[in-house]
Amino acid sequence: MKTINTDNAPKAIGPYSQAVKHNNFMFTSGQIPLDPDTGLIVSQNFKEQVYQCLKNIQGILEEENLSLTAIIKLTVYVIDLNNFSKLNEVFEDFFIDFYPARSAVEVSRLPKDSQVEIEAICSYEN
């Protein structure tokens, strides 16, 4: 196994790695909408938060010279499933010609009171 750490995504805010590579797979930790430079939530706007989470995952992928097409599965945690259509709008803009498998789950609270957290399972074989 190999731990993956990059400045292209927010530093871990606890005792965990940004991602771990095992065999031909990468498992990211959940990404909340933190700006990698400031460590602060980017906005209170739900769509902007989703976009930042995805940009953070993309930053981790880039550290390993992978693209968004390496993502096999995303798990999305939201505090309000009424935002599901907004979530889909961001995904339609972010992913072009390829949509990974995805689950969306409503939870009561997320770290730093963010509205969304996204984790990814990725493959090194495309």
Side-chain angles (χ1 to χ4, degrees), residues 4-35:
I4 299 162
N5 293 296
T6 179
D7 291 332
N8 297 328
K11 302 279 185 234
I13 57 174
Y16 59 87
S17 301
Q18 290 170 318
V20 174
K21 177 183 179 183
H22 181 69
N23 294 328
N24 288 322
F25 295 99
M26 177 198 304
F27 303 85
T28 73
S29 292
Q31 294 298 305
I32 60 174
L34 297 178
D35 179 297

Side-chain angles (χ1 to χ4, degrees), residues 26 57-72 94-95 98 121-124 126:
M26 177 198 304
I57 290 170
Q58 185 176 33
I60 294 169
L61 288 167
E62 288 171 354
E63 181 68 20
E64 290 292 297
N65 297 311
L66 296 172
S67 70
L68 294 174
T69 60
I71 300 172
I72 297 170
F94 199 84
F95 293 98
F98 171 76
I121 300 172
C122 310
S123 173
Y124 284 84
N126 285 348

Side-chain angles (χ1 to χ4, degrees), residues 41-85:
I41 299 280
V42 293
S43 167
Q44 290 307 309
N45 177 284
F46 178 78
K47 289 173 73 171
E48 290 175 12
Q49 286 198 10
V50 173
Y51 182 79
Q52 186 63 48
C53 292
L54 293 171
K55 289 295 290 180
N56 292 343
I57 290 170
Q58 185 176 33
I60 294 169
L61 288 167
E62 288 171 354
E63 181 68 20
E64 290 292 297
N65 297 311
L66 296 172
S67 70
L68 294 174
T69 60
I71 300 172
I72 297 170
K73 170 83 166 46
L74 293 167
T75 304
V76 181
Y77 303 95
V78 295
I79 61 167
D80 186 355
L81 268 176
N82 289 316
N83 286 322
F84 191 74
S85 62

Side-chain angles (χ1 to χ4, degrees), residues 87-119:
L87 176 73
N88 284 337
E89 289 172 15
V90 176
F91 270 66
E92 287 170 357
D93 289 341
F94 199 84
F95 293 98
I96 309 298
D97 300 326
F98 171 76
Y99 298 115
R102 183 185 82 186
S103 299
V105 181
E106 183 176 275
V107 296
S108 64
R109 192 167 181 207
L110 291 166
K112 296 201 176 258
D113 291 318
S114 67
Q115 299 177 57
V116 61
E117 180 175 358
I118 304 175
E119 63 185 26

